[in-house]
């Protein structure tokens, strides 16, 4: 590939979304609203062009109100290019865009990509996924975790209360933070485990609460504490809307109450809360290696509809 015949630049604005979307991906339909709500910025959406042909693209996403990118969630190349050129142009674009977009010395945002559940088994899906992972690896990233994305659909039966547990709203953020810190003991979640290498359980809980849960636009009245009949907490569930979908944002059982099937009752309650809102779907995710949680979602009628690849920089 002749580097002199490739132009790399950010898009000029919404008027170039059609250009940016010439490469297909599941998130394409979200870009207009993301721009309108300041989750994306044109200067964070880069393209590599040869004439008017789109060879590659990269884009970052953030939460509203943030001034810096939070995730690298778009990295695509023209899959019709020769193999060496796909990787070369993708790596060049990523390095060029990152140098312009990311603050000097700041940690690099995590990379995330949605892929089909059986992506390894189908050459037609495996090659594009591996191309993008190779680009990231050549730019210094490594695979961090693969996650299951699950979905409950209307018409799926929701079990009624078993009577073993009672449910009540969260009293205040302090109560929830105490429970969030407690459930980190023995966690199988890769992101939580990594957080605990850098901060205390209380600090990790506070960071997740402030950066994620507190930002949801849905009512906090949906959040539920699960208790024994005598009022002792055994876990909690956070049904929410993350501005894209209704989600089970967080579900957990306290260490002393694990292994007794309580997760099924807690998940059923969270599902009932959202199903009562007449939602078109409920989404959730868990690490591929978190076998007990994945099994609980499947028992509740959630189906695997996608995987998520997370890659990070050391």
């Amino acid at each position: 590939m002749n580097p002199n015949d490739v132009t790399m630049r950010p898009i000029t604005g919404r008027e170039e979304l059609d250009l940016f979307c010439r490469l297909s991906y599941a998130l394409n339909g979200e870009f207009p609203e993301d721009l309108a709500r300041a989750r994306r910025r044109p200067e964070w959406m880069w393209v590599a062009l040869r004439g008017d042909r789109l060879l590659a693209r990269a884009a970052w996403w953030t939460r509203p109100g943030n001034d810096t990118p939070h995730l690298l969630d778009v990295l695509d190349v023209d899959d019709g290019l020769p193999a060496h050129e796909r990787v070369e142009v993708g790596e060049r674009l990523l390095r060029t865009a990152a140098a312009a977009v990311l603050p000097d010395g700041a940690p690099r945002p995590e990379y995330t990509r949605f892929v089909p559940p059986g992506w390894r088994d189908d050459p037609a899906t495996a090659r594009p996924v591996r191309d993008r992972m190779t680009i990231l690896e050549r730019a210094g990233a490594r695979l961090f975790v693969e996650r299951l994305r699950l979905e409950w659909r209307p018409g799926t039966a929701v079990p009624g209360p078993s009577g073993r547990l009672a449910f009540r709203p969260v009293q205040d953020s302090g109560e929830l933070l105490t429970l969030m810190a407690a459930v980190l003991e023995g966690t199988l979640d890769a992101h939580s485990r990594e957080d605990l290498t850098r901060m205390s359980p209380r600090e990790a809980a506070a960071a997740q609460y402030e950066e994620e849960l507190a930002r949801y636009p849905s009512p906090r009245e949906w959040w539920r504490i699960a208790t024994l009949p005598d009022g002792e907490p055994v876990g909690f569930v956070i049904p929410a809307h993350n501005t894209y979908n209704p989600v089970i944002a967080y579900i957990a059982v306290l260490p002393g109450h694990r292994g007794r099937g309580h997760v099924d009752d807690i998940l059923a309650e969270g599902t009932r809360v959202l199903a009562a809102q007449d939602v078109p779907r409920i989404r959730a995710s868990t690490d591929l290696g978190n076998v007990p949680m994945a099994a609980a979602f499947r028992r509740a009628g959630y189906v695997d509809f996608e995987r998520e690849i997370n890659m990070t920089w050391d």
Side-chain angles (χ1 to χ4, degrees), residues 168-228:
R168 61 169 174 80
V170 176
Q171 293 175 354
D172 54 36
S173 60
E175 178 187 38
L176 184 60
L177 284 170
T178 296
L179 294 176
M180 289 175 65
V183 300
L184 290 175
E185 179 184 332
T187 181
L188 297 178
D189 181 84
H191 286 90
S192 294
R193 291 164 69 95
E194 199 278 330
D195 285 344
L196 292 175
T197 67
R198 299 178 289 106
M199 58 186 85
S200 70
R202 183 74 180 198
E203 290 169 335
Q208 183 171 9
Y209 180 86
E210 294 297 337
E211 295 172 11
E212 182 182 353
L213 305 185
R215 295 172 179 253
Y216 290 142
S218 48
R220 296 187 185 182
E221 288 77 13
W222 293 356
W223 302 359
R224 295 287 190 269
I225 304 295
T227 72
L228 296 176

Side-chain angles (χ1 to χ4, degrees), residues 10-201:
I11 64 171
T12 57
R14 293 174 62 93
E15 65 275 9
E16 285 200 313
L17 274 181
D18 286 346
L19 166 66
F20 193 79
C21 290
R22 287 179 189 169
L23 298 178
S24 63
Y25 181 45
L27 300 183
N28 280 12
E30 298 175 359
F31 296 152
E33 185 173 357
D34 282 349
L35 284 169
R37 294 180 177 270
R39 295 189 289 251
R40 299 187 191 275
R41 300 180 183 181
E43 60 268 29
W44 296 352
M45 303 174 72
W46 278 64
V47 292
L49 300 166
R50 180 184 289 132
D52 63 356
R53 181 180 179 182
L54 180 61
L55 304 180
R57 65 178 186 170
W60 286 263
W61 175 94
T62 198
R63 297 187 175 104
N66 287 6
D67 293 327
T68 56
H70 180 70
L71 290 172
L72 171 66
D73 64 343
V74 178
L75 178 64
D76 287 303
V77 293
D78 181 343
D79 291 314
L81 294 170
H84 70 281
E85 192 169 348
R86 292 194 302 270
V87 172
E88 182 181 344
V89 72
E91 182 187 0
R92 282 190 56 220
L93 176 64
L94 179 56
R95 290 185 181 277
T96 302
V101 170
L102 303 179
D104 290 341
R108 288 207 168 196
E110 182 175 290
Y111 168 73
T112 179
R113 184 170 185 85
F114 302 138
V115 300
W119 67 270
R120 289 180 177 83
D121 303 324
D122 181 358
T125 56
R127 193 197 77 179
V129 174
R130 295 194 187 281
D131 280 348
R132 287 148 182 78
M133 293 178 72
T134 298
I135 292 166
L136 270 291
E137 289 166 354
R138 286 178 51 162
R142 62 176 178 85
L143 177 64
F144 180 69
V145 70
E146 183 172 338
R147 291 173 61 79
L148 292 168
R149 282 170 55 80
L150 304 121
E151 185 173 87
W152 177 93
R153 295 159 184 167
T156 304
V158 181
S162 70
R164 297 199 309 156
L165 300 178
F167 294 92
R168 61 169 174 80
V170 176
Q171 293 175 354
D172 54 36
S173 60
E175 178 187 38
L176 184 60
L177 284 170
T178 296
L179 294 176
M180 289 175 65
V183 300
L184 290 175
E185 179 184 332
T187 181
L188 297 178
D189 181 84
H191 286 90
S192 294
R193 291 164 69 95
E194 199 278 330
D195 285 344
L196 292 175
T197 67
R198 299 178 289 106
M199 58 186 85
S200 70

